[in-house]
Amino acid sequence: MDLKKGVLLLNMGGPNNIDEVQLFLRNMFADENILVMNKYMRKFIGNIIIKKRLDEAEENYRSIGGKSPLSEITQSLCVKIETLSGLPVRPAMRYVPSFAIDALREYRDMGIGELILFPMYPQYSTTTTLSSVQDIEARCIEIGYSPKITTIEPYHATKSYIEIQIDGIIE
């Protein structure tokens, strides 16, 4: 049986506007892979960090145009990959919209039977790749969706990735 495939580009995301900075920080510090402790201590410590860092974080985002460039870059990449591959490609941000659950509902409703997860993190880390993959798995359970899932392996040491980095440094 040939399953219809869909691609998810996994990333932490970044605030789409100043009003999302607190949401971004709250979701990030609620992640058990970011603050590895019991949920009560994680919430307590997370709230302290957010209280101390919120104004500075908002000011940092104001200084770069009031938002993170990640969403626009990722959306542009989705369009390019979809055009080249012919597969539907959606972003799945971890801490701000576009959340994974939205793409998963869409794929479920489209009859997509196989998901290709492409972590936008070149190297593996529990705080990035594992957190994002676990979120996909949990959201699939939440909405009763059971696709076959394939995750692209880390690519930090591939020749083509290294060449792209070198080109960027030279430029």
Side-chain angles (χ1 to χ4, degrees):
M1 179 179 185
D2 190 25
L3 300 174
K4 286 173 60 176
K5 295 179 183 180
V7 178
L8 288 174
L9 301 186
L10 310 182
N11 210 325
M12 291 174 60
N16 296 296
N17 55 61
I18 295 299
D19 293 336
E20 281 187 3
V21 174
Q22 186 171 4
L23 173 69
F24 175 74
L25 294 173
R26 188 156 310 288
N27 286 340
M28 184 170 61
F29 293 123
D31 187 333
E32 65 188 24
N33 291 301
I34 300 285
L35 292 178
V36 182
M37 56 191 66
N38 75 58
K39 66 182 180 180
Y40 304 108
M41 186 60 86
R42 183 171 38 257
K43 185 171 184 170
F44 177 72
I45 298 295
N47 284 334
I48 290 171
I49 295 169
I50 293 164
K51 186 175 181 177
K52 290 183 78 114
R53 300 285 314 275
L54 182 59
D55 291 340
E56 179 185 355
E58 287 176 345
E59 189 53 41
N60 288 340
Y61 282 105
R62 277 189 192 88
S63 74
I64 61 168
K67 62 183 178 180
S68 167
L70 265 178
S71 289
E72 288 177 18
I73 292 168
T74 304
Q75 192 57 50
S76 175
L77 189 55
C78 286
V79 171
K80 289 176 184 176
I81 295 170
E82 190 166 307
T83 300
L84 291 171
S85 70
L87 299 173
V89 182
R90 303 291 183 269
M93 300 298 183
R94 184 69 182 93
Y95 305 125
V96 293
S98 305
F99 291 115
I101 196 161
D102 299 320
L104 292 169
R105 283 186 178 123
E106 181 181 358
Y107 280 173
R108 178 197 61 196
D109 295 347
M110 290 170 63
I112 299 293
E114 182 175 353
L115 295 177
I116 300 167
L117 306 183
F118 191 106
M120 300 305 295
Y121 324 107
Q123 71 292 334
Y124 178 86
S125 170
T126 58
T127 59
T128 55
T129 307
L130 178 64
S131 177
S132 291
V133 171
Q134 286 177 334
D135 183 53
I136 297 293
E137 292 169 345
R139 294 317 122 229
C140 282
I141 291 168
E142 182 180 326
I143 64 170
Y145 181 37
S146 303
K148 176 184 175 191
I149 296 177
T150 303
T151 303
I152 302 298
E153 295 297 318
Y155 49 91
H156 64 281
T158 62
K159 184 179 181 199
S160 57
Y161 178 75
I162 292 169
E163 288 171 351
I164 289 169
Q165 298 308 309
I166 290 169
D167 291 344
I169 292 167
I170 291 170
E171 185 180 310

